[in-house]
């Protein structure tokens, strides 16, 4: 039976010596070398627990403690069938006579410790003289049952299980003081033996470091929760030492995918990787490793432990009908890795063999008359039957001998195999658990004996070879190409910007403007409502002014005339005109263009409802808070957009520069183009006027003494919003915007 699969490529035959003195536990020995039955066995028998009555009729009480779910390879339903067959075989082979009745009951342990404790108690309640327990198979359940076995039945109850893989269950258990006393391992697989095999190879080839890569809860169909974790724990216990360096890599706990794990945990530091997961996940691991070139130069050696191989074709684990495109890559990986594999049938066979062993041990233990009939009124200690299963040879299901060592463990041979050129397993080495020796070795390393440290690494980062230089050259070319691309993009944008500036999309032909006569009248005609036919809007100054209204390209615009002077524009000023033309926001007055060929004028969006100043100063207009907040939010949105634009700041924000369109949306006006606004017809610079000094009230204090005065303002202060109550009526509010030259 192949239990350990070491998959590699090989050429010539070689022999290798292994030193098993490095192992933590020496061989236990077998028949003829075991210690005698402990003197304490039989001292705690129960007088009422007769296995044979006064007539010589014997009854063996068996408790089958297993999970009922068919998720597990060994479950109570399959176990009942196995027990029936094993009992019939025992009778036909005359291990037990027809006078011995096998009475068994099934208990569902749910593969949990709590349920196992409850089922054991129930079994001993049903029959205080319980003779033998078959199962459990889940590791944590075995631990619970194993600790209880020596206290049950008639001076203990033998616990026979095809599982019990962890190294705790293979520690000494031949004396009552031992924790797992009376635990019998009828299975052929245990974690300690695999760890010992690997330990011998590590010692022989000088490996001092490795990576444990596993999916903690996988392979649980054989050993229950955390099977792979318990395996890695047993391995770490066996190989631990002051000079051993290993990485504990619980992939699920780390939250990494397989590629990230290889990069961050294996890297170019570790060359020996031990994996444990379900067959499908192992295939994915191997494929990912092959994609990363970890299988190309023999620098990485993979060992994989599988308690159960559920591949579609067990002998060809690399093959997948649903993922044929990766089969070749998977085969390449499997031909360069190591794996442990055990088919699911061996666990059921081991349960069958366990009952056969018990029948033969029972036959040896019962006192019989000269005709071979059991003597009446016979009480049989459980510890005596358990001892009869240690260091003995039994006939098994397959007709071959089952050799039990002196510690109640079944011995077996682990096979070292590789995937050959046909894609099938081929044995190249064996390890005997009886003597703990490697008795056959025909491993041929394709690149020489593997090291625990990669020479170059999967990415060749440790080798300044031609390949590395070539990679660096490719990277350099890529960086240069990327740099040239960035420069080209910058140049293209500069050329495009220059073209757009020179195109002067903002330029307006004065003859294309159709003028309408402006109506010089108050912005509001009644106190009841705001009219929609106002043709003018207020301009900053010491009196109410109105803009000239016109049509440009069928769009109604406001025309602001400038002084008729020749204006020569610099490149920066042309760029600002382009920016003003491009600005587009619902809360900014749209700039349509400028005519600078005398007469000079600016064309902007026309807002028929006038300015915010008009609304606030009109005592006949009643504004509710909803309307006020709507205007405030419009102002905030407009300034937020303006501050994030190339214009950066307003410089003259005040209520007269906040206009209201026909939908009562507030729009900010008179920002930017300060080099043109200085040519306005308004008396901006006349210190003798009221409007000049009024404008200072809207200026940030720290800018009043600034020299030169920044016409465009700054962004060092935010706009302040000040609400005040009308002194004549505290139930109505007005709104002013305290704006600085920002």
């Amino acid at each position: 039976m192949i239990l350990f699969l070491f998959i590699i490529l090989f050429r010539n035959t070689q022999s290798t010596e292994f030193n098993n003195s490095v192992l933590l536990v020496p061989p236990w020995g077998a028949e003829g070398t075991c210690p005698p039955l402990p003197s304490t066995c039989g001292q705690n028998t129960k007088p009422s627990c007769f296995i044979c009555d006064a007539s010589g009729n014997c009854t063996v009480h068996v408790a089958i403690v297993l999970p009922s779910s068919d998720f597990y390879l060994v479950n109570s339903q399959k176990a009942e069938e196995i027990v029936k067959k094993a009992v019939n075989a025992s009778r036909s082979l005359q291990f037990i006579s027809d006078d011995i009745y096998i009475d068994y009951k099934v208990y569902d342990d749910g593969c949990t410790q709590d349920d196992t404790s409850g089922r054991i108690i129930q079994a001993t309640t049903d029959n205080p003289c319980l003779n033998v327990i078959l199962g459990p198979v889940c590791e944590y359940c075995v631990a619970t049952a194993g600790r209880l076995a020596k206290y049950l039945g008639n001076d203990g109850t033998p616990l026979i299980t095809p599982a019990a893989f962890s190294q705790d269950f293979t520690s000494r258990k031949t004396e009552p003081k031992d924790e797992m006393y009376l635990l019998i391992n009828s299975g052929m697989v245990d974690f300690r033996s695999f760890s010992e095999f690997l330990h011998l190879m590590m010692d022989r080839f000088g490996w001092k470091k490795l990576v444990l890569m596993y999916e903690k809860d996988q392979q649980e169909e054989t050993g229950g929760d955390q099977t792979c974790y318990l395996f890695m724990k047993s391995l770490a216990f066996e190989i631990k030492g002051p000079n051993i360096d290993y990485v504990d890599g619980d992939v699920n706990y780390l939250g990494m995918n397989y590629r990230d794990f290889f990069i961050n945990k294996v890297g170019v530091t570790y060359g020996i990787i031990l994996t444990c997961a379900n067959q499908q996940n192992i295939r994915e691991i191997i494929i990912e490793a092959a994609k990363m070139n970890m299988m190309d130069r023999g620098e990485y050696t993979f060992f994989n432990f599988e308690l159960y191989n559920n591949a579609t074709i067990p002998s060809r684990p690399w093959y997948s009908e649903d993922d044929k495109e990766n089969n070749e890559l998977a085969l390449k990986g499997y031909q360069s890795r190591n794996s442990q594999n055990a088919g699911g049938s061996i666990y059921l066979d081991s349960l069958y063999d366990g009952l056969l062993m018990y029948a033969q041990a029972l036959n040896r233990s019962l006192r019989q008359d000269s005709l071979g009939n059991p003597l009446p009124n016979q009480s049989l200690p459980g510890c005596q039957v358990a001892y009869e299963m240690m260091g003995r040879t039994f006939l098994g299901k397959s007709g071959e001998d089952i050799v039990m060592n002196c510690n109640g463990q079944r011995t077996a041979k682990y096979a070292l195999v590789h995937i050959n050129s046909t894609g099938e397993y081929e044995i190249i080495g064996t390890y005997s658990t009886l003597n703990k020796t490697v008795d056959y070795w025909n491993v041929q390393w394709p690149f020489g004996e593997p090291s625990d440290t990669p020479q170059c690494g999967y990415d060749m980062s440790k080798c300044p070879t031609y390949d590395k230089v070539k990679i660096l050259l490719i990277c350099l070319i890529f960086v240069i190409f990327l740099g040239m691309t960035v420069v080209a993009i910058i140049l293209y944008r500069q050329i495009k910007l220059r073209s757009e500036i020179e195109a002067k999309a903002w330029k307006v032909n004065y003859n294309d403007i159709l003028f309408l006569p402006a109506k010089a009248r108050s912005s509001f005609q009644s106190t009841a409502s705001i009219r929609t036919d106002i043709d003018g809007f207020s301009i900053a100054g010491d009196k109410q002014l109105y803009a000239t209204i016109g049509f440009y390209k069928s769009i109604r615009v406001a025309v602001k005339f400038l002084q008729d002077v020749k204006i020569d524009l610099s490149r920066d000023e042309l760029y600002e005109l382009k920016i003003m033309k491009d600005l587009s926001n619902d809360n900014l007055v749209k700039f349509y263009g400028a005519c600078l060929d005398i007469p000079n004028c600016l064309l902007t969006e026309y807002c028929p409802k006038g300015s915010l100043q008009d609304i606030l100063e009109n005592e006949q207009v009643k504004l509710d808070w909803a309307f006020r907040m709507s205007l405030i939010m419009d102002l905030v949105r407009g300034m937020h957009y303006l501050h994030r634009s190339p214009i950066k700041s307003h410089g003259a924000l005040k209520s007269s520069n906040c206009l209201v369109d026909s939908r009562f949306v507030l729009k900010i006006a008179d920002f930017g183009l300060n080099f043109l606004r200085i040519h306005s017809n308004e008396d901006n610079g006349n210190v003798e006027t009221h409007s000049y000094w009024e404008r200072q009230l809207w200026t940030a204090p720290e800018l009043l003494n600034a020299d030169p005065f920044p016409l465009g303002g700054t962004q060092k202060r935010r706009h302040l919003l000040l609400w005040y109550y009308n002194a004549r009526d505290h139930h109505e509010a007005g709104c002013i915007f305290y704006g600085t030259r920002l």
Side-chain angles (χ1 to χ4, degrees):
M1 181 62 67
I2 297 176
L3 300 179
F4 177 68
L5 308 181
F6 187 7
I7 303 171
I8 57 172
L9 297 174
F10 67 95
R11 286 195 292 261
N12 300 321
T13 301
Q14 70 178 52
S15 59
T16 306
E17 296 294 331
F18 293 86
N19 178 20
N20 65 359
S21 65
V22 300
L23 303 180
L24 298 183
V25 179
W28 290 101
E31 194 163 6
T33 63
C34 299
L37 178 68
S39 58
T40 55
C41 182
Q43 294 181 359
N44 299 312
T45 57
K46 299 176 182 178
S48 60
C49 286
F50 290 112
I51 191 170
C52 300
D53 60 18
S55 302
N57 295 318
C58 305
T59 302
V60 178
H61 299 285
V62 181
I64 302 174
V65 183
L66 293 168
S68 61
S69 172
D70 60 5
F71 170 78
Y72 301 98
L73 297 180
V74 181
N75 54 67
S76 57
Q77 183 177 354
K78 292 180 180 179
E80 281 194 83
E81 299 175 5
I82 292 295
V83 167
K84 290 178 182 178
K85 292 178 181 179
V87 169
N88 292 334
S90 297
R91 296 191 190 282
S92 64
L93 294 170
Q94 297 183 347
F95 295 154
I96 55 175
S97 66
D98 293 338
D99 295 331
I100 299 177
Y101 174 66
I102 306 297
D103 175 38
Y104 65 86
K105 292 185 179 180
V106 178
Y107 300 90
D108 178 14
D109 65 11
C111 201
T112 67
Q113 285 182 290
D114 290 343
D115 286 350
T116 300
S117 300
R119 300 297 85 78
I120 295 293
I121 293 173
Q122 182 181 347
T124 55
T125 301
D126 293 342
N127 197 312
C129 298
L130 192 62
N131 298 111
V132 63
I133 300 174
L134 295 181
V137 291
C138 297
E139 292 292 274
Y140 289 106
C141 299
V142 174
T144 298
R147 295 185 181 100
L148 294 174
K150 58 184 175 181
Y151 303 108
L152 306 176
N154 187 29
D155 204 352
T157 299
L159 178 70
I160 303 175
T161 174
F165 309 121
S166 298
Q167 56 93 15
D168 293 334
F169 304 131
T170 57
S171 299
R172 193 185 68 172
K173 48 182 183 293
T174 57
E175 299 181 14
K177 65 180 181 180
D178 298 332
E179 184 179 28
M180 296 296 161
Y181 181 56
L182 303 186
L183 174 61
I184 306 297
N185 300 72
S186 64
M188 293 179 284
V189 182
D190 69 87
F191 296 160
R192 185 190 291 273
S193 295
F194 174 83
S195 303
E196 289 172 339
F197 194 4
L198 184 65
H199 193 177
L200 292 178
M201 285 187 280
M202 290 180 65
D203 175 70
R204 169 60 185 83
F205 298 110
W207 300 335
K208 298 297 182 181
K209 56 184 181 180
L210 71 163
V211 174
L212 311 182
M213 180 182 182
Y214 59 98
E215 298 276 4
K216 182 176 183 178
D217 288 319
Q218 292 194 1
Q219 297 206 35
E220 58 184 352
E221 61 266 43
T222 55
D225 294 342
Q226 302 185 0
T227 298
C228 278
Y229 163 74
L230 293 173
F231 164 67
M232 293 298 182
K233 180 181 176 182
S234 297
L235 175 69
F237 182 83
E238 173 64 33
I239 66 173
K240 67 181 179 181
N243 298 321
I244 300 298
D245 171 23
Y246 70 89
V247 174
D248 186 359
D250 182 348
V251 177
N252 192 268
Y253 173 78
L254 294 171
M256 293 181 177
N257 59 38
Y258 297 141
R259 183 178 184 84
D260 289 342
F261 184 92
F262 286 139
I263 293 173
N264 297 305
K265 294 299 181 180
V266 179
V268 296
T269 304
Y270 298 90
I272 308 297
I273 302 102
L274 181 64
T275 61
C276 180
N278 289 340
Q279 186 272 331
Q280 293 84 353
N281 291 67
I282 291 298
R283 184 176 182 274
E284 292 178 15
I285 290 173
I286 294 301
I287 289 174
E288 192 59 51
K291 288 180 178 178
M292 294 177 64
N293 304 318
M294 297 179 75
M295 307 298 188
D296 292 350
R297 296 175 296 276
E299 296 186 9
Y300 296 90
T301 304
F302 284 76
F303 292 84
N304 176 54
F305 182 79
E306 291 177 351
L307 281 170
Y308 172 57
N309 183 347
N310 62 344
T312 305
I313 307 175
S315 63
R316 300 164 70 87
W318 51 269
Y319 182 81
S320 173
E321 186 68 27
D322 298 329
D323 187 23
K324 291 183 178 180
E325 62 181 19
N326 283 321
N327 278 338
E328 185 175 348
L329 195 62
L331 176 60
K332 175 184 176 182
Y334 270 86
Q335 287 179 330
S336 305
R337 68 121 189 176
N338 312 327
S339 171
Q340 161 115 13
N341 181 308
S345 62
I346 69 168
Y347 301 106
L348 291 171
D349 290 346
S350 296
L351 184 67
Y352 182 102
D353 289 339
L355 190 55
L356 282 185
M357 287 166 47
Y358 180 80
Q360 295 170 70
L362 179 66
N363 191 43
R364 290 189 182 125
S365 302
L366 286 175
R367 291 180 286 114
Q368 301 173 351
D369 59 19
S370 59
L371 299 177
N373 298 314
L375 296 178
N377 297 328
Q378 186 172 172
S379 177
L380 184 62
C383 53
Q384 181 179 341
V385 182
Y387 179 80
E388 287 293 338
M389 286 187 282
M390 298 181 183
R392 298 281 190 174
T393 300
F394 300 90
L395 183 66
K397 178 183 179 182
S398 62
E400 298 179 353
D401 287 341
I402 298 173
V403 179
M404 299 293 292
N405 67 21
C406 295
N407 196 44
Q409 294 170 240
R410 182 174 181 173
T411 62
K413 278 197 174 183
Y414 285 32
L416 200 64
V417 307
H418 82 125
I419 295 290
N420 59 24
S421 58
T422 65
E424 301 287 343
Y425 286 140
E426 181 179 355
I427 297 176
I428 53 176
T430 59
Y431 170 73
S432 171
T433 64
L434 176 60
N435 300 316
K436 298 191 176 183
T437 57
V438 177
D439 50 18
Y440 173 71
W441 189 262
N442 189 27
V443 178
Q444 311 303 318
W445 309 104
F447 301 96
E449 293 183 0
S451 170
D452 59 5
T453 304
Q455 181 179 356
C456 296
Y458 66 92
D459 58 356
M460 298 296 292
S461 60
K462 297 173 68 176
C463 293
T465 60
Y466 172 75
D467 288 339
K468 183 175 180 180
V469 172
K470 185 166 64 174
I471 292 173
L472 292 176
L473 181 61
I474 292 173
C475 292
L476 180 61
I477 293 174
F478 175 76
V479 171
I480 294 175
F481 174 76
L482 183 62
M484 293 179 64
T485 302
V486 172
V487 171
I489 292 174
I490 293 174
L491 291 176
Y492 170 75
R493 295 184 63 179
Q494 290 292 332
I495 294 172
K496 182 180 179 182
L497 178 61
R498 181 188 302 173
S499 174
E500 290 176 350
I501 291 174
E502 293 176 353
K504 298 181 181 179
W506 51 268
K507 190 171 183 179
V508 174
N509 188 328
Y510 187 79
N511 295 327
D512 292 338
I513 305 173
L514 175 63
F515 289 97
L516 298 177
K519 301 178 182 179
R521 66 188 183 197
S522 174
S523 297
F524 295 93
Q525 303 298 324
S526 69
T527 61
S529 62
I530 300 177
R531 293 175 56 86
T532 60
D533 59 350
I534 298 174
D535 297 324
F537 63 96
S538 59
I539 303 296
D542 57 354
K543 60 183 178 179
Q544 193 78 2
L545 299 175
Y546 297 89
T548 303
I549 309 304
F551 282 88
Y552 176 67
K553 295 183 178 180
S554 302
I555 301 174
R556 198 176 192 186
V557 297
V559 183
K560 182 175 183 178
F561 285 95
L562 306 176
Q563 297 173 4
D564 290 335
V565 296
K566 179 175 177 57
I567 300 176
D568 293 324
L569 300 175
S570 67
R571 187 181 185 283
D572 290 341
E573 291 168 347
L574 289 170
Y575 178 60
E576 186 172 349
L577 281 164
K578 174 196 175 302
I579 290 173
M580 288 291 292
K581 177 67 174 176
D582 292 341
L583 288 180
S584 178
N585 183 268
D586 290 341
N587 298 114
L588 295 183
V589 169
K590 177 68 176 175
F591 174 70
Y592 289 110
C595 177
L596 302 180
D597 293 330
I598 302 178
N600 300 329
C601 61
L602 303 177
L603 276 62
T604 59
E605 181 180 357
Y606 171 61
C607 297
K609 298 302 181 184
S611 71
L612 181 62
Q613 178 181 333
D614 295 334
I615 296 175
L616 295 177
E617 292 182 354
N618 192 332
E619 297 181 357
Q620 296 179 343
V621 177
K622 309 298 182 182
L623 297 178
D624 59 25
W625 279 98
F627 188 22
R628 297 178 189 184
M629 290 305 299
S630 175
L631 295 175
I632 291 171
M633 291 305 299
D634 288 344
L635 175 59
V636 171
R637 282 190 286 265
M639 290 306 299
H640 178 71
Y641 178 84
L642 191 64
H643 280 188
R644 294 168 66 90
S645 73
I647 300 299
K648 299 298 184 185
S649 58
H650 191 292
L653 180 63
K654 49 190 173 182
S655 56
S656 61
N657 286 339
C658 299
L659 308 182
V660 181
D661 68 7
S662 59
R663 298 180 295 111
F664 290 98
V665 175
L666 185 143
K667 295 176 179 284
I668 301 169
D670 288 355
F671 53 86
L673 302 181
N674 291 296
F675 64 90
L676 293 179
R677 298 188 191 280
I678 60 176
H679 299 295
S680 172
N681 289 321
E682 303 173 24
D683 49 2
N684 290 330
N686 189 351
V687 298
E688 301 297 331
T689 62
H690 170 74
S691 61
Y692 173 84
W693 293 104
E694 183 182 40
R695 278 192 298 276
Q696 309 311 308
L697 297 176
W698 302 93
T699 304
E702 69 271 16
L703 298 182
L704 290 174
N705 294 325
D707 187 19
F709 185 83
L711 295 176
T714 69
Q715 278 194 334
K716 292 183 179 179
R717 279 186 152 197
R718 296 181 180 275
H719 298 87
L720 302 178
L721 199 59
L722 175 64
W723 288 91
Y724 71 94
Y725 285 98
N726 189 308
R728 292 169 297 181
D729 188 347
H730 291 281
H731 296 289
E732 293 186 8
C735 173
I736 66 171
F737 296 92
Y738 177 69
T740 63
R741 288 185 178 271
L742 306 175

